[in-house]
Amino acid sequence: MQDGWKIRFDKTYAFQIHDKEIAFAGNPLPLELRELIESGSEAIINYYEKLNQETKYLNEAKVLVVGDAEIGKTSLINKIINTDAALPKESDRTLGIKIKEHPFGKNENEVIAHIWDFGGQVVYDASHRIFYSDDCLYILLTGNNKDDKSNYKEISLRNRIVNIEIFGGNSPILIVNNEFFGFTSCTYDIGKFKEDDCFNICKEFSLDLKRMEEKDKTELEAIRRNIHHELRSLKIINTPYPGQWKRVKDLLPEMKKENDFLSREEFNRKVSDIMPDTKDVDFLLKQFHKRGFLIWYEEIGALSDKVFINPQWAVDGVNYILAHRDVENNAGKFSRNKAE
């Protein structure tokens, strides 16, 4: 690459000396490596030069907890963090998205999970997809309902699994069934999803979050172990990164105290002492977005110039707009001017 070789994804031959090209079409490269390659030869060279100077591992990842409204997602998260946590009141149900952090594992095996608790109300469903990302862990919470004669829950489950595959890539999925009404068997079959390689369903669990008997506590501990296992197995956890990235990550809390978001130019300026090359910052922002450290939409023109260093502020803003009476009265439609 330093001699001018180009990398192509649209050709299938191995290499072409005359054209100075290396072809990777059909090569199962890790997504983060492909993103780096697509940033250009200069970005690749800079990245590996920095990697040779200092290597760090960022043992933090995103966990997205999804499911229908009032199915127990917040209860599950609270119990995962603390078995004895009280169940939330109905008035405390999640509207939109709430973000928490929690460590899994200890010492060198520790992974910090950025847990995104997605409210299941229909009004928020479509917007939630813009916060999905690949290379993270999804926990899909289901619940048994003897009155589900319309097959709504089965349809909803199918839609959520498909949406994870579309917007979350091949990210692992854990399915947890909350045993309502004393029923312990599912009223729907996910076997066809497990048989399809497109859907990366790793494990299923079943427990009663309200009763929390001994068997439920045992199942809860199994869920914790599997969360830790799946997080440790993510490629972004096991991929080394330049030491600069850790120093930029350490700057984010101070940035957040001053601003909820920055223009791309302002962000570049704040990290310029650590990362003077803006192409290096591009790749860093993509990877930080995956981990839930911040939000950056490179491919959305109106937002590509904004770096949301406080993700909770960004999701609260989206939810505020969607819940606004004017938007509701207009069948969910609103203009950019109205949003501003």
PDB file of all heavy atoms in Angstrom, residues 4 18 23 39 45 153 155 192 204 217 236 266 274:
ATOM      1  N   GLY A   4       1.635   2.245  -3.400  1.00  0.00           N
ATOM      2  CA  GLY A   4       0.541   2.631  -4.278  1.00  0.00           C
ATOM      3  C   GLY A   4      -0.429   1.531  -4.645  1.00  0.00           C
ATOM      4  O   GLY A   4      -1.272   1.712  -5.528  1.00  0.00           O
ATOM      5  N   HIS A  18       0.139  -5.664 -12.673  1.00  0.00           N
ATOM      6  CA  HIS A  18       0.178  -4.550 -13.623  1.00  0.00           C
ATOM      7  C   HIS A  18      -0.602  -3.335 -13.095  1.00  0.00           C
ATOM      8  O   HIS A  18      -0.152  -2.197 -13.199  1.00  0.00           O
ATOM      9  CB  HIS A  18      -0.387  -4.992 -14.969  1.00  0.00           C
ATOM     10  CG  HIS A  18      -0.453  -3.888 -15.985  1.00  0.00           C
ATOM     11  ND1 HIS A  18       0.677  -3.364 -16.593  1.00  0.00           N
ATOM     12  CD2 HIS A  18      -1.509  -3.175 -16.464  1.00  0.00           C
ATOM     13  CE1 HIS A  18       0.322  -2.392 -17.414  1.00  0.00           C
ATOM     14  NE2 HIS A  18      -1.001  -2.266 -17.357  1.00  0.00           N
ATOM     15  N   ALA A  23      -7.483  -7.879  -4.708  1.00  0.00           N
ATOM     16  CA  ALA A  23      -8.938  -8.026  -4.675  1.00  0.00           C
ATOM     17  C   ALA A  23      -9.372  -8.878  -3.491  1.00  0.00           C
ATOM     18  O   ALA A  23      -8.756  -9.896  -3.186  1.00  0.00           O
ATOM     19  CB  ALA A  23      -9.440  -8.649  -5.968  1.00  0.00           C
ATOM     20  N   SER A  39     -11.655   2.929   4.189  1.00  0.00           N
ATOM     21  CA  SER A  39     -11.230   4.298   4.501  1.00  0.00           C
ATOM     22  C   SER A  39     -10.037   4.719   3.659  1.00  0.00           C
ATOM     23  O   SER A  39      -9.681   5.901   3.650  1.00  0.00           O
ATOM     24  CB  SER A  39     -10.884   4.421   5.993  1.00  0.00           C
ATOM     25  OG  SER A  39     -12.013   4.149   6.799  1.00  0.00           O
ATOM     26  N   ILE A  45      -2.430   2.410   6.613  1.00  0.00           N
ATOM     27  CA  ILE A  45      -1.021   2.573   6.993  1.00  0.00           C
ATOM     28  C   ILE A  45      -0.905   3.283   8.329  1.00  0.00           C
ATOM     29  O   ILE A  45      -0.162   2.850   9.227  1.00  0.00           O
ATOM     30  CB  ILE A  45      -0.267   3.349   5.890  1.00  0.00           C
ATOM     31  CG1 ILE A  45      -0.209   2.509   4.609  1.00  0.00           C
ATOM     32  CG2 ILE A  45       1.146   3.705   6.357  1.00  0.00           C
ATOM     33  CD1 ILE A  45       0.268   3.275   3.400  1.00  0.00           C
ATOM     34  N   LYS A 153     -47.884 -11.856  19.627  1.00  0.00           N
ATOM     35  CA  LYS A 153     -46.544 -12.019  20.194  1.00  0.00           C
ATOM     36  C   LYS A 153     -45.621 -12.782  19.256  1.00  0.00           C
ATOM     37  O   LYS A 153     -44.433 -12.471  19.153  1.00  0.00           O
ATOM     38  CB  LYS A 153     -46.625 -12.700  21.565  1.00  0.00           C
ATOM     39  CG  LYS A 153     -47.183 -11.799  22.653  1.00  0.00           C
ATOM     40  CD  LYS A 153     -47.085 -12.455  24.015  1.00  0.00           C
ATOM     41  CE  LYS A 153     -47.613 -11.521  25.102  1.00  0.00           C
ATOM     42  NZ  LYS A 153     -46.763 -10.326  25.249  1.00  0.00           N
ATOM     43  N   ILE A 155     -45.825 -12.824  15.978  1.00  0.00           N
ATOM     44  CA  ILE A 155     -45.515 -11.906  14.887  1.00  0.00           C
ATOM     45  C   ILE A 155     -44.484 -10.867  15.341  1.00  0.00           C
ATOM     46  O   ILE A 155     -43.518 -10.565  14.631  1.00  0.00           O
ATOM     47  CB  ILE A 155     -46.798 -11.202  14.384  1.00  0.00           C
ATOM     48  CG1 ILE A 155     -47.743 -12.228  13.764  1.00  0.00           C
ATOM     49  CG2 ILE A 155     -46.460 -10.104  13.377  1.00  0.00           C
ATOM     50  CD1 ILE A 155     -49.128 -11.682  13.468  1.00  0.00           C
ATOM     51  N   LYS A 192     -37.349 -22.433  13.814  1.00  0.00           N
ATOM     52  CA  LYS A 192     -36.994 -22.116  12.432  1.00  0.00           C
ATOM     53  C   LYS A 192     -35.949 -21.005  12.372  1.00  0.00           C
ATOM     54  O   LYS A 192     -35.120 -20.966  11.455  1.00  0.00           O
ATOM     55  CB  LYS A 192     -38.247 -21.708  11.651  1.00  0.00           C
ATOM     56  CG  LYS A 192     -39.045 -20.575  12.270  1.00  0.00           C
ATOM     57  CD  LYS A 192     -40.370 -20.397  11.541  1.00  0.00           C
ATOM     58  CE  LYS A 192     -41.246 -19.369  12.245  1.00  0.00           C
ATOM     59  NZ  LYS A 192     -42.568 -19.235  11.609  1.00  0.00           N
ATOM     60  N   GLU A 204     -31.380 -19.881  24.879  1.00  0.00           N
ATOM     61  CA  GLU A 204     -32.708 -19.516  25.380  1.00  0.00           C
ATOM     62  C   GLU A 204     -32.755 -19.753  26.883  1.00  0.00           C
ATOM     63  O   GLU A 204     -32.190 -20.721  27.388  1.00  0.00           O
ATOM     64  CB  GLU A 204     -33.784 -20.356  24.712  1.00  0.00           C
ATOM     65  CG  GLU A 204     -33.924 -20.184  23.224  1.00  0.00           C
ATOM     66  CD  GLU A 204     -34.922 -21.190  22.659  1.00  0.00           C
ATOM     67  OE1 GLU A 204     -36.136 -21.047  22.958  1.00  0.00           O
ATOM     68  OE2 GLU A 204     -34.497 -22.125  21.958  1.00  0.00           O
ATOM     69  N   LYS A 217     -33.405 -17.877  40.258  1.00  0.00           N
ATOM     70  CA  LYS A 217     -32.100 -17.296  40.583  1.00  0.00           C
ATOM     71  C   LYS A 217     -30.981 -18.071  39.891  1.00  0.00           C
ATOM     72  O   LYS A 217     -29.998 -17.472  39.430  1.00  0.00           O
ATOM     73  CB  LYS A 217     -31.892 -17.283  42.098  1.00  0.00           C
ATOM     74  CG  LYS A 217     -32.842 -16.339  42.837  1.00  0.00           C
ATOM     75  CD  LYS A 217     -32.607 -16.383  44.344  1.00  0.00           C
ATOM     76  CE  LYS A 217     -33.581 -15.454  45.071  1.00  0.00           C
ATOM     77  NZ  LYS A 217     -33.391 -15.481  46.535  1.00  0.00           N
ATOM     78  N   ILE A 236     -14.932  -7.105  18.562  1.00  0.00           N
ATOM     79  CA  ILE A 236     -14.412  -5.808  18.996  1.00  0.00           C
ATOM     80  C   ILE A 236     -13.740  -5.897  20.359  1.00  0.00           C
ATOM     81  O   ILE A 236     -12.898  -5.060  20.688  1.00  0.00           O
ATOM     82  CB  ILE A 236     -15.522  -4.722  19.040  1.00  0.00           C
ATOM     83  CG1 ILE A 236     -16.663  -5.133  19.976  1.00  0.00           C
ATOM     84  CG2 ILE A 236     -16.046  -4.420  17.666  1.00  0.00           C
ATOM     85  CD1 ILE A 236     -17.653  -4.012  20.211  1.00  0.00           C
ATOM     86  N   GLU A 266     -15.344  20.534  15.894  1.00  0.00           N
ATOM     87  CA  GLU A 266     -15.022  20.742  17.309  1.00  0.00           C
ATOM     88  C   GLU A 266     -14.441  19.479  17.929  1.00  0.00           C
ATOM     89  O   GLU A 266     -13.484  19.535  18.716  1.00  0.00           O
ATOM     90  CB  GLU A 266     -16.280  21.165  18.076  1.00  0.00           C
ATOM     91  CG  GLU A 266     -16.772  22.557  17.745  1.00  0.00           C
ATOM     92  CD  GLU A 266     -18.108  22.853  18.407  1.00  0.00           C
ATOM     93  OE1 GLU A 266     -19.003  21.975  18.359  1.00  0.00           O
ATOM     94  OE2 GLU A 266     -18.260  23.953  18.972  1.00  0.00           O
ATOM     95  N   ILE A 274      -4.015  14.230  20.413  1.00  0.00           N
ATOM     96  CA  ILE A 274      -3.854  12.774  20.461  1.00  0.00           C
ATOM     97  C   ILE A 274      -3.915  12.172  19.062  1.00  0.00           C
ATOM     98  O   ILE A 274      -3.116  11.300  18.718  1.00  0.00           O
ATOM     99  CB  ILE A 274      -4.955  12.140  21.345  1.00  0.00           C
ATOM    100  CG1 ILE A 274      -4.912  12.736  22.752  1.00  0.00           C
ATOM    101  CG2 ILE A 274      -4.801  10.622  21.398  1.00  0.00           C
ATOM    102  CD1 ILE A 274      -6.066  12.288  23.619  1.00  0.00           C
TER     103      ILE A 274
END
